[in-house]
Amino acid sequence: MAPRAPTDLCITVDVEFSIAGAFEDPRRFKPLAEPVVACTVNGEGHGLDFLLRTLAAHGQRGTFFVETLCTQHFGDEPMRSYARRIAEAGHEVGLHLHPCWQVFRFPDWPDRVRRPLAVSDTLCDRPPHEVEAVIANGMAVMERWGLPRPRSLRMGNLMADRGIYRAMRRLGLTVASNIGLGIHRSSDPSLHLAGGAHQVEGVVELPVLTYDVGLPLRPSRRKCLTTTGTGLGTTRRLLRAARAAGSGPVVLLTHPFEFVKRRDFTFRDLRPNRINQRRLADLCAFVAAHPSDFRMATVSDAAACAPLTAPARVPAPPLDVEFVSVLPGLVSNRLNDLVWRL
């Protein structure tokens, strides 16, 4: 019998700027760009630079979902420079969209954001022509930047419906990572997908891995696989469980700003987040040390060779993790929050 192919792990990074309180108090706060992505501390980049350095050190590739509607406020820079650096480093540049940025195309945006329901950050339940126009606008920004036409898309807040997948198919976007049940649960039960690879309206969907944590005397808690929320020990257990069940690819979600600590949403007084940085570096080393079992892949590469779940099949339940196994990660997270210089 031929050996089984390695299970793919997809490190996915949402590269996005921050509204930073501008909607709540537009006269006091303005959106932030560089501090949220570069995360510079004492002249060293601990956000995007750290991610690129760490992946390069282990010879691995990730998928960076770059948000492009922020150009409505900032113009092309500095996001264009970040996206080009990612592409030049050999990683996949996917499309990321937060529709709330569209309000900045109006000169009177400070007044508009005060009106009830004036700002929406989802394309769910929108008319098909509107959904397609917003996605096409985001793709056009990348083309203007001189980047290859994106193949993959992740919607902001992991909020998607079937209309979004239909628009993706019409626009030639073939891969999505729009689902994460520990972050957002669609009203459509057919989109309650905990992991693996699935066909949705002709698009391959690779959900962010969702797992259940058993809690003492309480209902289990549903979580997504993230750098901040999941300790390395738990991540290893989930990878081994997914391989044993044949339920890959495994998708992890992170952001550049997860690798620094900050006092508040204004990103003042940053410090390196050493615990999260060690988690990513150790995870890369773990995958590199087990090449027969695991491979780090972009979402497009993983989608190209993943066995697809038939649409009529009931999705498998999330993987289960015992509370005692996640306790070390919870303790380290709590210490990380309490001790500023840890």
Side-chain angles (χ1 to χ4, degrees):
M1 180 181 295
R4 189 154 55 105
T7 298
D8 283 336
L9 169 65
C10 302
I11 301 292
T12 64
V13 185
D14 289 359
V15 183
E16 59 193 24
F17 297 152
S18 174
I19 298 299
F23 289 167
E24 288 73 25
D25 192 344
R27 287 171 177 78
R28 183 181 177 192
F29 300 111
K30 295 293 183 287
L32 293 175
E34 293 96 333
V36 185
V37 174
C39 305
T40 304
V41 181
N42 297 326
E44 183 178 0
H46 285 273
L48 180 60
D49 282 352
F50 168 78
L51 281 154
L52 296 177
R53 288 196 305 268
T54 302
L55 291 168
H58 295 88
Q60 294 164 341
R61 299 174 66 214
T63 296
F64 290 73
F65 289 104
V66 176
E67 210 289 321
T68 59
L69 297 179
C70 62
T71 54
Q72 298 282 358
H73 177 74
F74 291 101
D76 284 342
E77 296 294 348
M79 191 61 89
R80 173 173 56 186
S81 295
Y82 295 140
R84 292 177 71 94
R85 284 185 53 211
I86 293 165
E88 289 165 1
H91 302 288
E92 177 178 7
V93 180
L95 181 63
H96 189 41
L97 298 176
H98 274 279
C100 65
W101 287 101
Q102 295 179 111
V103 74
F104 291 105
R105 70 183 185 270
F106 301 107
D108 64 340
W109 70 264
D111 297 320
R112 286 178 179 261
V113 298
R114 294 179 179 276
R115 302 171 192 166
L117 306 178
V119 179
S120 174
D121 203 23
T122 178
L123 293 180
C124 293
D125 301 318
R126 301 275 191 93
H129 70 276
E130 184 178 338
V131 174
E132 190 166 334
V134 174
I135 297 175
N137 181 26
M139 297 174 70
V141 172
M142 284 195 175
E143 294 183 36
R144 185 171 73 233
W145 291 347
L147 294 172
R149 187 178 178 88
R151 298 173 56 193
S152 56
L153 168 70
R154 171 175 286 158
M155 291 303 304
N157 312 305
L158 298 178
M159 299 177 71
D161 61 9
R162 287 187 168 271
I164 289 172
Y165 291 96
R166 287 191 287 269
M168 288 181 63
R169 186 186 68 239
R170 291 192 294 269
L171 291 167
L173 290 161
T174 58
V175 183
S177 185
N178 284 331
I179 297 173
L181 300 182
I183 295 172
H184 174 75
R185 191 176 178 87
S186 170
S187 60
D188 182 350
S190 72
L191 298 181
H192 294 176
L193 307 172
H198 309 263
Q199 280 276 5
V200 180
E201 300 290 346
V203 174
V204 180
E205 165 64 36
L206 304 183
V208 178
L209 182 70
T210 294
Y211 61 99
D212 285 342
V213 178
L215 299 176
L217 305 177
R218 286 189 291 172
S220 61
R221 180 184 176 191
R222 188 151 289 182
K223 296 188 67 175
C224 280
L225 180 61
T226 65
T227 303
T228 297
T230 312
L232 180 62
T234 300
T235 301
R236 288 178 175 177
R237 290 185 186 92
L238 290 168
L239 282 169
R240 292 187 176 112
R243 177 153 183 79
S247 59
V250 174
V251 177
L252 178 146
L253 167 65
T254 193
H255 303 79
F257 57 75
E258 292 185 52
F259 300 96
V260 291
K261 298 181 182 182
R262 61 188 186 276
R263 292 291 188 186
D264 55 31
F265 67 87
T266 65
F267 280 75
R268 63 183 179 87
D269 195 12
L270 299 179
R271 293 287 187 276
N273 191 322
R274 300 299 185 188
I275 286 179
N276 283 359
Q277 291 186 5
R278 282 197 297 271
R279 284 177 180 172
L280 181 70
D282 289 348
L283 177 58
C284 289
F286 173 77
V287 172
H290 298 84
S292 61
D293 291 328
F294 303 107
R295 176 185 76 147
M296 198 167 287
T298 67
V299 295
S300 290
D301 286 347
C305 57
L308 299 179
T309 300
R313 179 179 168 186
V314 176
L319 297 173
D320 288 320
V321 178
E322 294 181 355
F323 178 73
V324 67
S325 69
V326 303
L327 191 56
L330 294 176
V331 172
S332 65
N333 280 352
R334 184 59 177 161
L335 288 173
N336 201 23
D337 291 339
L338 292 174
V339 184
W340 178 243
R341 294 185 181 274
L342 185 65

